[in-house]
């Protein structure tokens, strides 16, 4: 296997992982929301769980897709056009990531500790199984 075919394979793997993480995260988010609704009978809490976990899955997918674009651009024949296209893609995906993070957290990322997509998913999963404060089973 030569290096060009390896890097093409790596790029495709990152792209597949990015899309798969969004699809799996979509299903995971709805399962978490359903479990939260079933356990707490609180539609608002279930919706927050859905929103946070789905946002985290999208963030994770965007991070993987940016990695694919970087590998693709770095391994291709260098040109100013490729660099400009990569810059625009990263800029657009960064703006999307920031706006999703602000939507999930309710605060700008620079005003709180750094949180990644997987951390958002893990927090949403922990909160979905945690009993409501003051609730008794």
């Amino acid at each position: 296997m030569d290096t060009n075919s390896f890097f093409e394979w790596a790029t495709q793997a990152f792209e597949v992982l990015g899309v798969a993480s969004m699809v799996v995260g979509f299903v995971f988010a709805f399962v978490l929301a359903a479990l939260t609704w079933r356990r707490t009978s609180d539609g608002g809490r279930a919706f927050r769980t859905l929103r946070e976990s789905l946002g985290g899955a999208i963030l994770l997918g965007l991070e993987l897709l940016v990695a694919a674009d970087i590998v693709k651009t770095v391994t291709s024949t260098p040109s100013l056009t490729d660099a400009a296209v990569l810059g625009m893609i990263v800029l657009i995906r960064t703006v999307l990531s920031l706006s999703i993070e602000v939507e999930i957290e309710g605060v700008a990322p620079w005003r709180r500790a750094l949180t990644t997509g997987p951390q958002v998913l893990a927090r949403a999963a922990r909160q979905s199984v945690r009993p409501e404060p003051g609730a008794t089973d």
Side-chain angles (χ1 to χ4, degrees):
M1 176 185 281
D2 65 358
T3 56
N4 286 338
S5 61
F6 171 76
F7 286 122
E8 286 178 23
W9 176 86
T11 300
Q12 290 174 350
F14 273 118
E15 289 172 344
V16 167
L17 285 172
V19 172
S21 70
M22 285 190 235
V23 171
V24 170
F26 176 79
V27 172
F28 183 70
F30 275 92
V31 169
L32 280 178
L35 289 173
T36 302
W37 192 6
R38 187 169 150 229
R39 290 190 77 226
T40 65
S41 299
D42 182 0
R45 186 172 177 191
F47 177 73
R48 282 189 305 276
T49 299
L50 173 66
R51 196 168 130 194
E52 288 179 3
S53 55
L54 185 56
I58 292 170
L59 284 174
L60 177 61
L62 284 173
E63 290 171 4
L64 289 167
L65 291 172
V66 167
D69 290 331
I70 291 170
V71 169
K72 188 185 308 180
T73 301
V74 169
T75 59
S76 67
T77 306
S79 74
L80 199 52
T81 304
D82 287 343
V85 168
L86 175 64
M88 289 302 298
I89 290 170
V90 170
L91 178 66
I92 290 168
R93 290 191 176 155
T94 300
V95 169
L96 282 172
S97 293
L98 285 173
S99 60
I100 290 170
E101 284 187 50
V102 169
E103 182 70 24
I104 291 170
E105 297 293 327
V107 65
W110 52 88
R111 303 202 78 195
R112 61 167 172 72
L114 182 64
T115 303
T116 63
Q119 290 170 329
V120 171
L121 280 172
R123 184 178 58 246
R126 282 192 306 272
Q127 289 176 348
S128 71
V129 296
R130 187 178 303 150
E132 183 74 29
T136 57
D137 286 336

